[in-house]
Amino acid sequence: EIDVLESFLEQTASVIKPGGRLVVMSYHSLEDRPVKSFIAKGKFRGEVEKDFFGNEQKPFKAITRKAVIASDEELAINSRARSAKLRIGEKL
């Protein structure tokens, strides 16, 4: 399951046009970690790759610093929303 998620995320880098946005909602921390790493670093493990001049080579820029989570109003209506996290990245 996590392998499929990682494969999907890698494919998005070549499919989304510059300025397009990748929006992923995860419901478990095991799903959220690869999404967070990929949006922040462009890969799942290790540091951001840099070119000869020291410029970071990553496909997305994080739109929100932290994951978007459900509000207190939403949690009162739908208690299952407490585990949902939304992450947004914009294609560079």
Side-chain angles (χ1 to χ4, degrees):
E1 210 174 274
I2 299 300
D3 294 333
V4 174
L5 175 63
E6 290 178 358
S7 174
F8 163 74
L9 291 171
E10 288 172 347
Q11 292 173 19
T12 61
S14 62
V15 175
I16 297 175
K17 294 180 182 180
R21 293 192 173 183
L22 170 67
V23 180
V24 181
M25 183 173 286
S26 59
Y27 295 95
H28 194 276
S29 62
L30 289 175
E31 298 167 349
D32 187 50
R33 177 62 59 187
V35 174
K36 177 181 176 181
S37 295
F38 186 75
I39 290 175
K41 299 185 265 184
K43 51 194 234 178
F44 305 106
R45 289 161 206 81
E47 294 299 315
V48 177
E49 292 183 16
K50 296 183 179 182
D51 66 6
F52 180 77
F53 301 104
N55 300 321
E56 292 182 343
Q57 299 293 312
K58 56 184 187 177
F60 293 96
K61 173 184 79 171
I63 297 298
T64 56
R65 180 152 170 81
K66 293 188 173 188
V68 178
I69 57 172
S71 65
D72 291 335
E73 292 174 2
E74 174 69 23
L75 292 174
I77 298 168
N78 179 9
S79 64
R80 290 181 174 182
R82 73 182 177 282
S83 61
K85 292 185 179 182
L86 182 76
R87 296 202 182 265
I88 307 167
E90 184 173 330
K91 175 74 181 222
L92 298 174

